[in-house]
Amino acid sequence: MSNDLLPLYTLASVEGWGIEDFNTTAQKISKSRPEIIAINLAPNGIVRHIFPHEENKNTFGHDLLKDEERKKEAELAKETQKITLSGPFHLRQGGIGLAFRQPIYFSSDTGKNEFWGFAVIIYRFPDIMVSRVNFEILSQAEFSWRLWRIDPTDGKKVVLLHSKEAQDDFFTYEIKLQNATWYLDISPKNGFLNLERIAVLVSVSLIICAIVSLLAAYFVNIVTKYKDIKKEVVLDSLTGLHNKKFFWETFEPLLEKYIQGYDTRSTNLFLCVFDLNNFKRINDTHGHIIGDQILIEFSKKLLQELDYNEFAVRFGGDEFIAVLNCPLAEGMDSPKRIQDMKSRLEFTYCIGKEDLNVTVSMGAISPCHDMLLGKPAHISSGEFFLELADRRMYIEKKSRMESKCHQDGCRD
């Protein structure tokens, strides 16, 4: 693993880390590498933590495993559990970058390695190369040259770097990398094996070694070194969402600050509880493997609904929680964003020739100080508001069941 990626891998394994911890870690990495454009953590392959955020905010929510130009290397990293090199390519935030993706795996309770997501560092190209590899020696010795690769998405030749002079008669050197092959073409202007240029050919070998060494430095595997990494993390091993432990450690202090400043806020905090309908029947009918796949798919959809500084939790089984910030329309129990979100979270899952409609019940509440007047003394504020949201969710679930029963002509 790259020395730059190591702190990110470690951060993802630590209990209770949050956005401030990520920013602090990413800032330390960036200070030592001026070529860094962006540092990302992507749970389940979806970019959720970005530094620096403002310059790269249009990459938030980007799914590396679905992007046609990115998914091949991302899937390879996930499959091999090894870091991969991707690019150079045009970035969504502008410019050209070279990306290193480290897949992050943790041991589940069963001892199986579960995929969490990716740690990604994107370097500005060609800065990362020209600052460390002396191509100028070739031009000074009157050699024309070009560095190129085959694009894995379309199979076309892509020139990465080249000298000012262009010639057709090149000798090609192959440069083997972790998951890719680059090529260096060189051509002397005045004959190939002129004795005065033999030393330059030696320099070509040194340049190739420099390229391989530079990029190979990012491919040091530390899997064995990190087998004893903390297992008690704040992430759900199946879905990649945060877990119940994270929810209580984060929501209680967040709620306290929110309640204190409730009257001056321009946006309202919303606590949303989701429960998949008839999930037990799905497990009983189709098996737990299909059930797990449905939970994973729902989690991905829920992550895609989040904005910066919002979070989602798998609270247990098929129950999920999202903590959102959004305006409250007058006279409405929940804003339009939350109402629309619920319909987007429902989907059809195909099992062979059968289409399984996955629906969800939701309860949403925006906490305020006045509500606390009804709070029992033996429970915390967080527990109280979660219970209120839970009640609303079950009211909706019951109403939905009664409506379906009426349509189907059920009898008591």
Side-chain angles (χ1 to χ4, degrees):
M1 180 188 295
S2 158
N3 289 334
D4 296 343
L5 283 163
L6 175 57
L8 296 177
Y9 193 108
T10 306
L11 175 66
S13 71
V14 173
E15 295 180 50
W17 69 273
I19 191 66
E20 291 183 5
D21 303 296
F22 169 75
N23 285 338
T24 300
T25 301
Q27 189 173 35
K28 289 179 180 177
I29 298 170
S30 295
K31 282 183 178 179
S32 62
R33 303 286 190 214
E35 306 95 346
I36 289 178
I37 296 175
I39 298 175
N40 304 332
L41 282 177
N44 258 333
I46 301 173
V47 176
R48 289 295 162 199
H49 303 278
I50 312 167
F51 181 90
H53 183 266
E54 193 60 31
E55 295 90 323
N56 301 285
K57 61 184 179 182
N58 62 339
T59 65
F60 184 81
H62 182 210
D63 192 334
L64 301 175
L65 293 169
K66 289 186 177 179
D67 187 319
E68 290 300 324
E69 296 181 359
R70 310 285 193 267
K71 70 178 183 181
K72 186 169 184 178
E73 286 95 347
E75 287 173 346
L76 180 64
K78 181 180 177 181
E79 179 182 340
T80 62
Q81 300 188 29
K82 295 180 179 179
I83 191 172
T84 58
L85 167 69
S86 182
F89 47 69
H90 291 279
L91 301 169
R92 296 164 68 92
Q93 62 268 51
I96 299 176
L98 196 66
F100 293 87
R101 298 194 186 101
Q102 170 68 48
I104 299 176
Y105 279 78
F106 293 115
S107 295
S108 66
D109 295 337
T110 62
K112 181 182 176 182
N113 273 354
E114 299 285 354
F115 175 68
W116 177 83
F118 298 107
V120 184
I121 297 184
I122 302 173
Y123 298 85
R124 189 175 292 104
F125 191 87
D127 303 36
I128 187 177
M129 300 295 297
V130 298
S131 63
R132 292 173 172 82
V133 181
N134 185 15
F135 290 101
E136 188 59 28
I137 188 173
L138 294 176
S139 298
Q140 290 173 352
E142 298 185 343
F143 275 73
S144 55
W145 58 272
R146 61 190 170 202
L147 182 67
W148 57 279
R149 70 169 184 134
I150 298 296
D151 191 317
T153 59
D154 57 19
K156 294 181 179 178
K157 181 177 179 178
V158 179
V159 177
L160 308 178
L161 294 170
H162 62 87
S163 59
K164 293 180 181 178
E165 306 83 6
Q167 292 195 26
D168 295 326
D169 187 18
F170 280 86
F171 184 82
T172 301
Y173 291 86
E174 195 174 80
I175 306 173
K176 291 284 188 182
L177 302 173
Q178 172 82 353
N179 61 293
T181 301
W182 287 5
Y183 303 90
L184 179 64
D185 292 342
I186 63 167
S187 178
K189 297 177 182 177
N190 301 307
F192 214 96
L193 282 180
N194 188 313
L195 288 177
E196 290 81 3
R197 293 184 174 83
I198 290 178
V200 176
L201 295 180
V202 175
S203 298
V204 170
S205 297
L206 294 176
I207 286 175
I208 292 173
C209 289
I211 294 173
V212 173
S213 298
L214 169 65
L215 299 180
Y218 296 92
F219 297 133
V220 179
N221 195 330
I222 63 160
V223 172
T224 54
K225 186 177 179 181
Y226 280 86
K227 278 186 177 178
D228 295 328
I229 237 166
K230 282 187 179 180
K231 293 183 180 179
E232 190 182 359
V233 294
V234 292
L235 299 166
D236 176 60
S237 61
L238 176 65
T239 64
L241 296 180
H242 293 294
N243 60 18
K244 184 184 295 187
K245 178 180 175 63
F246 175 88
F247 174 77
W248 289 122
E249 291 179 350
T250 305
F251 183 64
E252 290 280 10
L254 176 67
L255 180 64
E256 183 178 350
K257 292 179 182 178
Y258 175 77
I259 292 294
Q260 290 174 355
Y262 182 82
D263 294 332
T264 61
R265 283 182 173 268
S266 58
T267 59
N268 286 349
L269 183 76
F270 271 86
L271 177 64
C272 304
V273 175
F274 305 92
D275 191 88
L276 302 188
N277 296 319
N278 300 314
F279 186 71
K280 184 178 184 301
R281 184 185 302 171
I282 293 173
N283 271 337
D284 292 343
T285 305
H286 302 284
H288 288 276
I289 293 178
I290 295 297
D292 285 351
Q293 291 303 312
I294 287 173
L295 292 176
I296 291 170
E297 183 64 25
F298 177 81
S299 300
K300 289 180 179 179
K301 289 182 173 293
L302 184 55
L303 274 175
Q304 290 169 354
E305 296 291 333
L306 301 183
D307 288 334
Y308 185 61
N309 276 347
E310 299 177 338
F311 64 89
V313 167
R314 183 188 178 199
F315 200 71
D318 62 323
E319 187 173 6
F320 296 81
I321 296 174
V323 177
L324 311 175
N325 293 296
C326 40
L328 179 64
E330 185 175 353
M332 296 172 61
D333 288 334
S334 61
K336 188 175 186 300
R337 174 194 171 189
I338 293 179
Q339 294 178 350
D340 293 344
M341 179 175 69
K342 179 177 173 293
S343 62
R344 288 192 297 267
L345 290 172
E346 299 185 335
F347 60 97
T348 300
Y349 188 87
C350 297
I351 307 173
K353 296 182 179 180
E354 181 182 353
D355 288 341
L356 183 63
N357 292 321
V358 180
T359 62
V360 61
S361 294
M362 181 190 73
I365 192 166
S366 180
C368 71
H369 189 272
D370 289 346
M371 292 181 182
L372 291 174
L373 297 175
K375 182 184 81 69
H378 66 278
I379 63 175
S380 68
S381 298
E383 290 170 329
F384 174 70
F385 286 116
L386 178 59
E387 186 177 301
L388 292 182
D390 225 23
R391 286 179 190 171
R392 292 193 178 186
M393 183 272 293
Y394 278 110
I395 289 172
E396 181 183 305
K397 183 181 284 284
K398 183 180 179 182
S399 174
R400 187 174 193 136
M401 290 175 62
E402 289 174 348
S403 175
K404 186 176 186 307
C405 189
H406 178 73
Q407 292 173 2
D408 295 343
C410 298
R411 297 179 179 178
D412 292 337

